[in-house]
Amino acid sequence: MTYGGQTVIEASAAEIVDVLTDVGALASWNPAFGAIEGSGPAAVGLRYRTRVRDLVPASIRFTAISAAEVRYELLAPGAQERGVWYLRPGSLPGHETIVVHEFTHAGASLAIMRRAFRPVASWRLARLRQEVLRR
């Protein structure tokens, strides 16, 4: 199942990408993550270890990072999330960005909870917006 949402953030795409790829700070605005091993900007292809909800060992790997999109995969025992953040200029290019977040799940444990994930993209977008504006 694919989940998704969209918002407008009053910031440039570069500022948003900086937040999305700041490995050491991901857990501060995305409560699904425990502390992530690593700091600074993410590198495509590297796996960063974490714990989902501070319980389940997992890793996150960025598969693409650009001013137009950030792609990742989160792997945990019996569960996989693949997601993307699309970034498009808003009505004030450079000062406003349309952000679309989509993700899919695979694995039995996530299939059981599929209804619980319907609002998650909107929650993530709201927290991302807050974090970008806070910086």
Side-chain angles (χ1 to χ4, degrees):
M1 179 166 207
T2 299
Y3 306 92
Q6 176 178 310
T7 196
V8 174
I9 299 178
E10 299 81 10
S12 69
E15 292 170 301
I16 296 166
V17 169
D18 286 347
V19 172
L20 289 170
T21 59
D22 184 350
V23 174
L26 284 176
S28 71
W29 62 271
N30 189 336
F33 297 125
I36 298 175
E37 291 183 5
S39 63
V44 171
L46 290 182
R47 290 202 181 277
Y48 300 93
R49 290 191 290 171
T50 187
R51 289 189 169 273
V52 175
R53 297 287 183 190
D54 278 332
L55 298 170
V56 180
S59 67
I60 184 167
R61 181 173 70 99
F62 291 84
T63 59
I65 299 172
S66 74
E69 67 182 34
V70 174
R71 292 182 178 272
Y72 67 91
E73 65 179 12
L74 178 67
L75 301 172
Q80 179 185 58
E81 176 177 306
R82 289 182 185 212
V84 61
W85 302 85
Y86 294 109
L87 308 161
R88 304 289 180 255
S91 59
L92 299 170
H95 302 286
E96 182 179 275
T97 304
I98 299 166
V99 182
V100 176
H101 178 44
E102 295 177 350
F103 63 95
T104 60
H105 283 158
S109 60
L110 295 176
I112 292 169
M113 302 183 301
R114 69 182 170 271
R115 288 188 182 148
F117 285 99
R118 287 183 181 152
V120 169
S122 294
W123 294 344
R124 289 178 182 171
L125 285 160
R127 288 191 305 266
L128 171 66
R129 183 177 186 277
Q130 289 175 342
E131 182 65 15
V132 169
L133 297 178
R134 183 188 69 76
R135 292 187 185 190

